[in-house]
């Protein structure tokens, strides 16, 4: 399953549209007014399906992930030089990526690829292609990509 993650150009808060291979909207992400990032994820029928919420007052950025009201894990930035590293507490996954953070892979506990993420260059807004190998993992993979993108945006502001 391939998803195209595209940030909206005109938006007061972080807002994204996520499309499938047929250019159909699969998810819509809307930023909420809050301390830190709070991203609500809606399915194509406009039902809220998930949330990525930045925890504030932490030494390094940390994002909690929820399916509905149920906590499903978190992603935390680890202290490192040069190459950003993240600690993931979700499904036993971890991330391997490049120096510039534009291309990375989500790997499960058995070293199988869950998803690959690549940033598409030369776009007006942040645009990522997400290749998810099991469609059941799509929402979890999307939440991780949202958290990493939010952390990078906070760091660059």
């Amino acid at each position: 399953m391939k998803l195209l993650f595209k940030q909206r150009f005109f938006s007061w808060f972080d807002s994204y549209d996520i499309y499938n291979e047929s250019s159909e909207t699969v998810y819509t992400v809307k930023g909420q007014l809050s301390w830190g990032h709070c991203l609500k994820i809606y399915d194509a029928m406009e039902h809220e399906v998930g949330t990525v919420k930045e925890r504030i007052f932490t030494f390094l950025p940390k994002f909690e992930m929820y399916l509905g009201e149920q906590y499903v894990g978190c992603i935390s930035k680890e202290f490192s030089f040069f190459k950003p590293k993240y600690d993931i507490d979700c499904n036993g996954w971890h991330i391997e990526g490049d120096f510039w953070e534009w291309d990375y892979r989500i790997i499960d506990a058995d070293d199988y690829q869950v998803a690959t993420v690549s940033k598409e260059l030369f776009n007006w807004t942040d645009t990522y292609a997400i290749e998810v190998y099991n469609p059941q993992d799509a929402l979890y993979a999307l939440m991780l990509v949202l958290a990493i993108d939010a952390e990078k945006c906070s760091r660059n502001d």
Side-chain angles (χ1 to χ4, degrees), residues 3 6 19 42 65 83 104 108 119 130 146 154 157:
L3 299 174
K6 192 170 183 104
Y19 304 98
Y42 300 89
M65 301 179 299
K83 184 176 180 177
Y104 51 93
D108 71 10
K119 184 170 184 175
I130 308 169
L146 285 167
S154 294
D157 285 346

Side-chain angles (χ1 to χ4, degrees), residues 73-87:
C74 69
I75 179 170
S76 307
K77 184 156 194 253
E78 295 180 344
F79 183 77
S80 63
F81 293 104
F82 303 114
K83 184 176 180 177
K85 293 182 80 171
Y86 299 93
D87 177 45

Side-chain angles (χ1 to χ4, degrees), residues 65 72-74 88-94 107-110 114 136-137 140-141 144:
M65 301 179 299
V72 294
C74 69
I88 300 173
D89 177 23
C90 179
N91 296 337
W93 294 355
H94 65 276
I107 310 293
D108 71 10
D110 297 323
V114 174
Q136 292 176 328
D137 294 328
Y140 289 99
L144 290 174

